[in-house]
Amino acid sequence: LLSCRLYCEEAKDPKRRSCQTVLAEALDIVVRSFAPILPHLAEEVFQYIPYKKGSEGVFRTGWINASSAWKKPGIEEAIEGACAMRDSFLGSISGKNALEYEVIIVIEPGLLFELMEALQAEETSSVSQLNELMMASQTTLLSELPKETPSDANIVKGTFLINLEGGDICEQSSYKVIARPIAKAKCPRCRRYTAESSSTPCPRCLQVLAAGKGST
């Protein structure tokens, strides 16, 4: 997830910048957390932080005070739900390369489906947050099984319990995960199977490369 955003997206793409912001915030909190126990190590790490800091030393920054903006209702449950489906997907392919597959997730309309829609607005995507979490080359989110589903398709079923607002909102939802080999070629840049030819980058990478040339 991190490597794809950091190395495949355009330098100023919001996805890449948001990833850098999270990493910077996590580093800041971790360093200040272990500073009382490992003061010399914490100070050394703090001095090598490559971006502008509000203080000259880690012990002058004060204690951890994470912004409430990081607490977005439903996002934790959405990530946990997606990870549960990812585990079902990875278990169904028996240790094979997840990027060689496309995933179809089927969830009946309800709270879980809405949470997944927050991670993937399009029906099918190779660049959504949901697809990044699934670790596949492409993810399709549906509310019912597709009509062309083969009778021998490997369908993994599961359930996920959602607890929101301290348990005031509680709903158990069922889901189905279908994994099938993807028919596209491996992109020579991002290594996902989303290209029309193994010698040509996928549409996303072509767009990023074109934007890079335009900014030089």
Side-chain angles (χ1 to χ4, degrees):
L1 174 60
L2 293 180
S3 61
C4 184
R5 286 194 176 195
L6 289 174
Y7 300 116
C8 296
E9 299 291 355
E10 187 184 353
K12 295 183 179 180
D13 189 282
K15 290 183 180 179
R16 185 175 186 272
R17 296 302 299 272
S18 65
C19 181
Q20 291 176 311
T21 299
V22 170
L23 290 174
E25 184 74 10
L27 176 62
D28 178 71
I29 290 176
V30 169
V31 170
R32 286 197 279 168
S33 296
F34 68 65
I37 305 171
L38 299 169
H40 299 294
L41 176 60
E43 185 62 37
E44 183 176 3
V45 173
F46 186 82
Q47 294 302 326
Y48 276 95
I49 290 177
Y51 47 84
K52 185 178 180 181
K53 303 177 286 288
S55 177
E56 296 180 357
V58 67
F59 289 99
R60 296 184 179 181
T61 61
W63 190 235
I64 301 167
N65 185 25
S67 171
S68 59
W70 291 100
K71 185 62 176 178
K72 185 177 180 180
I75 192 65
E76 182 178 351
E77 290 74 15
I79 299 298
E80 290 179 351
C83 288
M85 296 175 200
R86 179 189 63 197
D87 292 343
S88 297
F89 160 55
L90 295 178
S92 71
I93 61 175
S94 304
K96 297 178 181 177
N97 184 3
L99 290 175
E100 296 179 358
Y101 289 82
E102 63 173 321
V103 181
I104 299 174
I105 299 173
V106 182
I107 309 171
E108 292 184 359
L111 185 54
L112 182 59
F113 188 86
E114 292 175 5
L115 291 175
M116 292 306 105
E117 279 189 316
L119 300 177
Q120 178 169 301
E122 308 89 351
E123 182 176 285
T124 299
S125 178
S126 61
V127 296
S128 68
Q129 295 181 70
L130 179 58
N131 187 66
E132 290 177 343
L133 289 166
M134 295 302 294
M135 300 170 61
S137 279
Q138 180 175 286
T139 296
T140 298
L141 179 62
L142 301 172
S143 59
E144 58 182 14
L145 280 173
K147 295 180 180 179
E148 67 273 13
T149 303
S151 58
D152 60 346
N154 183 15
I155 302 176
V156 180
K157 300 179 181 180
T159 60
F160 183 74
L161 180 62
I162 301 170
N163 277 300
L164 291 173
E165 299 182 7
D168 291 340
I169 300 177
C170 186
E171 181 178 302
Q172 182 162 320
S173 301
S174 60
Y175 63 83
K176 299 180 181 72
V177 175
I178 306 171
R180 60 188 186 190
I182 196 163
K184 295 185 178 180
K186 185 178 182 179
C187 172
R189 182 175 181 270
C190 69
R191 306 299 181 183
R192 287 183 174 176
Y193 289 75
T194 51
E196 298 301 324
S197 166
S198 59
S199 60
T200 306
C202 66
R204 188 273 300 271
C205 286
L206 286 173
Q207 183 177 355
V208 172
L209 291 170
K213 291 180 180 178
S215 61
T216 57

